[in-house]
Amino acid sequence: MKEETRLLIQIPRGTYDVLPDESAVWQKIEETARKVCALFNYKEIRTPLFESTDLFQRGVGDTTDIVQKEMYNFKDRGDRSLTLRPEGTASVVRAFVEHKLYGLPNQPAKVYYIGPMFRYERPQSGRTRQFTQFGIEALGSQDPSIDAEVIALAMTFYQSLGLKKLKLVLNSLGDPESREAHRNALIAHFKPSIGEFCEDCQNRLEKNPLRILDCKKDHNHPLMETAPSIIDYLTDSARDYFSHVKEMLDEMGITYELDPTLVRGLDYYNHTTFEIMGSSKGAITTLTGGGRYNGLVSELGGPETPGVGFALSIERLLLALEVENISLQSEGALDCFISSIGDEAGKKASVILYELRQAGLRADKDYMDRKVKAQFKQADRDHAKFVIVIGDEELEQQKAVLKNMADGTQEQVAFVSLADFIKSKISSGV
Ligand code: HAM
């Protein structure tokens, strides 16, 4: 290829690389998520990164920004219309219906997922086009205590990572009857002045007036503030349901603020909706969004089944950790590093290295033909607990010098005993 045609290819806009020095933090976060899910008895589900476009049109709702503006849609070679998943709930519900998980005795089905989602949004701090969600879904129970459990799981997760500046915001969107009454009130409220609103809102008026409250362009219009509040339209049973959720949170000592304007950007919600806000570089941002979605399973072809869940992104969590000055410990330390002098010792080092690893030790050696001093520096960068030194003399005696990097002590250890010796030192905490 000619020199001038070799252009530098850059990462797509709105995406990022997690570099080797950064991945330990991601692993720590993911590991914490898995541990907390195990405590609450949620099991992992893994669904494809792409699904039929219809799934999100029907699931997330075709009047939402996500479906109208943000989906990565494409046709595959078989002319199927597919979409990179913008969120996880619709896929989990599809899998629940497709595999008839509702027929299993183990109900509710409690699942979690960690993986990339894709939305064509304007990239900014805490908003990327590929982002990683950790989410959970509990399908099959309409006990209000499970709404509280879902919220408690999210709070426990953040607390286990040391976050303190969290604010839980709560609302209820009620049952279908409450929603219908509220919908009519919203239409009556906005209709006379709908000409002053953006085109999206004009289209939403009859289709889904609740979406107007979530509009990013018109959020300062005076009619927004005076819009009828869902709380005034809740039926008695929806109100009772919400009281039960609040009571459970009170009992658990989880504090919250009520916000009747919290409508969320996806169509499937009813009853409880919530967001957890955190601070990111001074501004408050939504770290987590979730709620109940009782009609979604039947909308996607399954039997009438209630559901509730949340999702949060690791990108926003990292910003919140930064603001609260929390650095997660990386566990990248090596057990030992082998430093060798000369070709023959280098070969022996490779064999011993293999044996150490077979014995379950985290070990490495120099591959850059460094001088001994530089090899020790590399061992330091890898936070090695021990350094094994092999030179001509050691080869002859079949013994290595073993240096304990914590206290600087040295001793001679036979090659064949190295693995056991180091393991016993590590297990006795030396
Ligand atoms: P969502 O509010 O669209 O809800 O997204 C949940 C969380 O994902 C947000 O609170 C935010 O932390 C993160 N997030 C969304 N978009 C981006 C982005 N472009 N960049 C970085 N982070 C982002 C859902 O996705 C629902 N499926 C949640 C749910 C599960 N409801 C019930 N079950």
Side-chain angles (χ1 to χ4, degrees), residues 66 70 86-90 113 117-119 121-122 124 126-133 135-137 158 264-266 268-269 274-276 285-293 307-317:
I66 295 181
E70 296 171 3
E87 60 106 47
T89 312
Y113 47 90
M117 307 290 161
F118 307 85
R119 294 184 195 174
E121 293 195 87
R122 187 194 291 265
Q124 50 185 280
R127 179 163 294 146
T128 48
R129 290 184 174 169
Q130 175 174 330
F131 55 99
T132 309
Q133 273 190 348
I136 70 162
E137 314 292 347
Y158 285 130
R264 311 268 308 117
L266 302 92
Y268 44 63
Y269 291 110
F274 68 94
E275 290 187 350
I276 300 171
T285 132
T286 306
L287 298 180
T288 297
R292 185 159 272 285
Y293 47 86
V308 57
F310 74 74
L312 59 89
S313 75
I314 297 186
E315 290 75 6
R316 291 198 190 167
L317 165 61

